[in-house]
Amino acid sequence: SRRRELETAQLDGLRRLALAAEYRDDHTHEHTQRVGHLAALLARESGLGDRMVYLVREAAPLHDLGKIAIPDSILLKPGPLDSDEWAIMHQHTQFAKDMLQGISFLQPAMGVVYSHHERWDGSGYTQGLKGKDIPLAARIFAVVDNWDALSSDRPYRKAWLPEKVIDYIRQNAGTMFDPGIVEVFLKMEKM
């Protein structure tokens, strides 16, 4: 259908833009593709329907698109960020939301982009959402994003061992992460 062709063309352009953002931030190489696949699996295991699983898979690689607007001095800094730099880095979710606002078919999964740094206990950003006020797609994606980030080498630390990552996710269920989603993820990891 014409609608499907338009979606496909828009997604192709967005994927290329996400790839450009990934090239800027070399330590996230292939992160965007891995999290898209894993987020779709977790979305399906969490009971989301086919259309929403598809949208989560397509939105996941776009989650850090807003980092394209973050200055290199912050994005590529080899050491820890100071509070002013973190304030700028936190804007990447808003930048991504602004960039994707006109892509109407993706809107049901925009929580992946805009709310993936929210925390179950309300201590996250950008909106300070708490518990089930955080979109389900974002709660699903937060677990996957953290899993992949901690399992990968970064300029400021080596990848954690899988057992350490699992322990971290388990220990942060109910604070960072939706405990129900963590339960599904942990069962999925054992498969």
Side-chain angles (χ1 to χ4, degrees):
S1 77
R2 180 74 182 128
R3 185 176 140 248
R4 187 75 171 153
E5 288 175 19
L6 181 58
E7 278 184 22
T8 301
Q10 287 175 320
L11 281 171
D12 184 53
L14 292 170
R15 285 185 197 113
R16 291 169 193 270
L17 195 55
L19 187 60
E22 192 173 281
Y23 284 149
R24 279 195 70 226
D25 188 6
D26 200 36
H27 71 266
T28 62
H29 184 63
E30 296 179 1
H31 168 69
T32 58
Q33 295 311 309
R34 287 191 308 267
V35 295
H37 175 72
L38 198 53
L41 291 175
L42 184 54
R44 175 142 343 268
E45 290 297 316
S46 299
L48 271 65
D50 290 346
R51 179 69 177 165
M52 197 61 189
V53 168
Y54 164 76
L55 291 174
V56 167
R57 184 181 66 239
E58 297 303 334
L62 307 174
H63 74 283
D64 279 340
L65 183 62
K67 286 185 177 178
I68 210 163
I70 302 297
D72 286 349
S73 61
I74 295 170
L75 185 66
L76 305 177
K77 186 176 179 180
L81 301 180
D82 65 31
S83 60
D84 291 338
E85 291 166 332
W86 270 119
I88 293 167
M89 183 64 88
H90 286 177
Q91 294 175 16
H92 81 276
T93 56
Q94 181 64 53
F95 293 147
K97 182 182 177 190
D98 293 346
M99 289 178 203
L100 298 171
Q101 201 158 14
I103 313 297
S104 59
F105 74 92
L106 270 181
Q107 296 312 302
M110 279 304 292
V112 169
V113 173
Y114 189 56
S115 303
H116 68 277
H117 288 292
E118 301 290 354
R119 292 181 169 209
W120 186 255
D121 66 3
S123 67
Y125 67 91
T126 298
Q127 297 172 283
L129 299 176
K130 182 177 183 175
K132 293 198 175 181
D133 289 339
I134 303 166
L136 179 57
R139 289 183 271 139
I140 289 168
F141 184 73
V143 173
V144 169
D145 189 36
N146 277 271
W147 163 259
D148 190 77
L150 294 171
S151 300
S152 306
D153 286 335
R154 296 294 168 100
Y156 47 87
R157 67 154 173 76
K158 290 300 228 176
W160 290 7
L161 294 173
E163 303 80 33
K164 184 177 179 181
V165 179
I166 290 290
D167 286 345
Y168 177 84
I169 289 174
R170 185 180 291 116
Q171 290 166 5
N172 283 285
T175 53
M176 285 181 72
F177 308 118
D178 177 334
I181 299 300
V182 168
E183 187 178 326
V184 173
F185 180 77
L186 295 175
K187 284 180 188 169
M188 202 173 83
E189 278 301 300
K190 290 178 183 174
M191 289 183 196

